Structures are given as C-alpha cells and as structure tokens.
C-alpha cells in the first residue's frame, strides 16, 4: 500500500464528505477510493470512517489520524520543496476564484506579477459572480466579499467595501437633488439580475428600505455600471466597482451618510498553515498587496 497516497485519499474523503466526491477530486474511481480506505483500516485494525446511506463521518480514531495525516503530508510537501530548491523556485498549480469585477480589477494583475516572479507556478482563475465551492471545484484561494458564516476554512480579512448609491450628473439634473432616503421615491432604479431586492439605508440608527421601480436590469455588473453612466437611473454597486467613475465625475455618490456598514473582504483557503508552500507564499503576497489597496480601506 502507498501510505502517502492513502493519507491523501482519507483527507479528500474527509474534506468532501463522501467517497464519490473524493474520487472526483482525486481523479480516481470510487472503488479505488474505497479500497484505499479499507487498506488503511486493515493496517490499523480499526475503523477510520463510519458510513451510513446518507453520510460518511470520521470515527474518533479517524479524526486523530486525519490530523496527523494532514501534518505529515504538509511536511512531505515541505521536504520535497526544499530538495527541489523551491525556496528560490516555487512550483505547481494554484486555482484562484474571485467575483468577476473584483478579479478583473484587483486580483488579475497581482496574479500576473506573482506568476512572473515564479515562472514554474501554473495559475487557473475562476472570476465568477457566483459562490464557487472550494472543495468541489478544486479551488486553493478565494476572495469573498461578504459576511462569512462559520466554517472550517481559514479567512484573512484584507479590508472592506461600501455599498454605494450613485447616478450620472445629467440624471440628477433631470430628477433633482437626492438628499434624503425619501427622495428615492421619485427616481428609477438600475439592478443586476443577481440582486433585485430593496436597498438598505440607515436612517436615525434604523434600517430603511428603498426600492425604486426598475428601469434597467442587467445580468452583469458592467452592464449596470454603463446604464448608470448613461443617465438611465440610480444604481447601487460596491465602492470598488464605481471608484474610477466617481473619481472622473461620470457618476456621483448619493446619500453617503445613510450607507449601511461596510462589507468585509476576505482571502479564504481551506488548509491553513498545512497548505503547500506555493499557496502559502501566494496568500501572504496577496494579503499584503490587498491590504494596501486604497479601495479596500474603509474602516
């Protein structure tokens, strides 16, 4: 039995919650995953996993062994890196996901710079406006712009962004000044297909909802952005998405004193300090870079 391979199989089953999902992650067949776990259990003379028709969970012995397996695999990776001289030459694949606009504006150039520094690293990016499952889609590093639920993932906060209402100057010339949340009753809204709900504002310390009638609904952030610049209505976007347009004057921020709390931005990964050196190095670099990004410094 290849003990290291069996350890990796156990880690995959624990991370994915099932034999079939682990097989997909590892590029193996489900029977081969089953055989490797059975061989491990035979070697130690105890059950590492308790299986039911609905789920797979670690036994007490399995949980202890999993922690050791993670540590051993990380140390093996470190040893291989040291022998290969990876302290000067990182190598291997890294898959990164981020929201589409944030990836394009603030992550892609950081990946490019890191890739030029480390030519033996291979990057795959998933810049998508949907929640990518790190385990199912084989993602090493994720940028999340949201309040995060409790999970086993490691999250490093790098800043925050604001929810900004804005409109083109000519649109405001047509509808008049917007000074209070009640003024939104006489305007038209621009929405994205992903979010067409009411806008939350904070007035007198309490949430206040506003939902102007939709004049324009776009399936992309860029489409909503362009519609606002064209003077079609008022849009709510995140501050990093409109920072350039506000700076050049093609969009004007509105009701800033009524904005809700900023939304945190995190770098998220699954394996903590057990991650391979290439991933830890990239995360350290990305965190340092993004913490210096002006559009993320709101608190």
């Amino acid at each position: 039995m290849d003990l290291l391979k069996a350890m990796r199989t156990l880690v995959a089953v624990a991370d994915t919650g099932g034999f079939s999902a682990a097989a997909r992650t590892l590029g193996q067949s489900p029977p081969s995953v089953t055989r490797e776990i059975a061989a491990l259990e035979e070697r130690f003379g105890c059950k590492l996993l308790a299986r039911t028709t609905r789920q797979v969970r670690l036994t007490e012995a399995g949980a202890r062994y999993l922690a050791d397996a993670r540590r051993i695999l990380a140390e093996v990776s470190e040893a291989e890196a040291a022998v290969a001289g990876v302290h000067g030459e990182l190598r291997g694949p890294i898959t990164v996901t981020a929201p589409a606009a944030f990836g394009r504006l603030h992550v892609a150039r950081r990946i490019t710079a890191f890739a030029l520094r480390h030519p033996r690293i291979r990057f795959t990016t998933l810049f998508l406006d949907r929640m990518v499952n790190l385990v199912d889609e084989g993602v090493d590093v994720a940028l999340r712009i949201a309040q995060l639920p409790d999970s086993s993932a490691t999250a490093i906060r790098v800043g925050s962004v604001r929810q900004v209402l804005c409109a083109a100057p000519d649109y405001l010339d047509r509808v008049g000044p917007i000074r209070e949340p009640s003024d939104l009753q006489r305007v038209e809204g621009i929405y994205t297909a992903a979010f067409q709900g009411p806008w939350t504002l904070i007035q007198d310390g309490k949430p206040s909802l506003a939902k102007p009638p939709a004049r324009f609904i776009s399936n992309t952030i860029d489409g909503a952005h362009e519609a606002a610049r064209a003077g079609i209505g008022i849009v709510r976007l995140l501050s990093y998405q409109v920072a350039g347009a506000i700076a050049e004057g093609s969009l004007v921020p509105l009701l800033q004193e009524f904005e809700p709390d900023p939304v945190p931005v995190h770098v998220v990964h699954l394996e903590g300090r057990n991650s391979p050196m290439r991933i830890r190095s990239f995360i350290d670099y990305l965190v340092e870079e993004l913490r210096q990004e002006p559009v993320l410094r709101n608190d």
Side-chain angles (χ1 to χ4, degrees):
M1 178 181 61
D2 183 335
L3 186 55
L4 290 178
K5 184 181 179 189
M7 286 181 181
R8 292 187 181 99
T9 300
L10 179 66
V11 169
V13 172
D15 286 344
T16 62
F19 284 68
S20 296
R24 288 194 297 273
T25 299
L26 296 168
Q28 298 176 208
S29 67
S32 70
V33 170
T34 301
R35 286 194 299 271
E36 287 185 2
I37 297 300
L40 264 183
E41 292 177 331
E42 184 178 354
R43 177 187 179 95
F44 298 122
C46 64
K47 288 291 184 184
L48 301 176
L49 297 167
R51 307 163 182 82
T52 69
T53 55
R54 294 190 174 184
Q55 65 177 350
V56 175
R57 62 177 180 80
L58 292 161
T59 63
E60 184 179 349
R64 288 199 304 268
Y65 186 68
L66 177 67
D68 289 336
R70 289 190 191 278
R71 176 181 52 76
I72 290 166
L73 290 171
E75 290 175 355
V76 168
S77 180
E78 292 271 359
E80 290 174 342
V83 170
V86 174
H87 287 289
E89 186 181 25
L90 302 176
R91 67 178 70 185
I94 301 178
T95 298
V96 184
T97 188
F102 192 81
R104 175 171 54 83
L105 293 171
H106 299 296
V107 180
R109 59 189 167 91
R110 267 91 186 202
I111 290 176
T112 301
F114 193 83
L116 288 172
R117 243 185 255 176
H118 304 285
R120 301 196 69 174
I121 288 184
R122 306 185 305 279
F123 276 101
T124 299
T125 61
L126 299 171
F127 295 160
L128 302 167
D129 287 325
R130 66 172 174 83
M131 188 64 72
V132 174
N133 186 293
L134 274 62
V135 173
D136 290 348
E137 302 190 47
V139 172
D140 300 301
V141 182
L143 272 295
R144 298 286 198 232
I145 303 176
Q147 298 286 350
L148 296 180
D150 290 337
S151 75
S152 59
T154 300
I156 305 169
R157 182 165 172 150
V158 293
S160 62
V161 293
R162 295 166 22 245
Q163 300 174 65
V164 180
L165 287 172
C166 51
D170 8 351
Y171 183 78
L172 296 174
D173 290 341
R174 295 200 303 273
V175 301
I178 306 295
R179 297 193 178 97
E180 299 285 336
S182 58
D183 292 331
L184 296 174
Q185 295 173 8
R186 56 182 169 81
V187 303
E188 296 164 301
I190 298 168
Y191 300 91
T192 61
F195 182 76
Q196 301 176 46
W199 301 330
T200 300
L201 300 165
I202 304 299
Q203 190 169 23
D204 299 325
K206 299 177 182 178
S208 171
L209 301 180
K211 193 175 189 304
R215 174 83 191 283
F216 192 97
I217 299 173
S218 172
N219 71 321
T220 67
I221 298 296
D222 288 344
H225 188 280
E226 287 305 311
R229 287 169 56 122
I232 288 175
I234 291 179
V235 71
R236 167 170 272 179
L237 293 172
L238 295 176
S239 51
Y240 79 87
Q241 296 165 344
V242 294
I246 289 174
E248 70 184 19
S250 58
L251 288 177
V252 177
L254 305 170
L255 303 178
Q256 290 177 281
E257 65 270 35
F258 299 100
E259 288 177 1
D261 291 340
V263 182
V265 181
H266 292 92
V267 174
V268 178
H269 58 113
L270 289 177
E271 297 185 65
R273 297 314 295 180
N274 290 326
S275 296
M277 187 185 301
R278 67 182 182 279
I279 295 173
R280 296 206 316 268
S281 297
F282 175 68
I283 289 169
D284 290 345
Y285 160 80
L286 189 60
V287 166
E288 182 179 358
E289 283 283 306
L290 291 177
R291 281 180 172 166
Q292 297 177 47
E293 175 57 56
V295 299
L296 300 184
R297 296 170 67 181
N298 295 297
D299 51 7

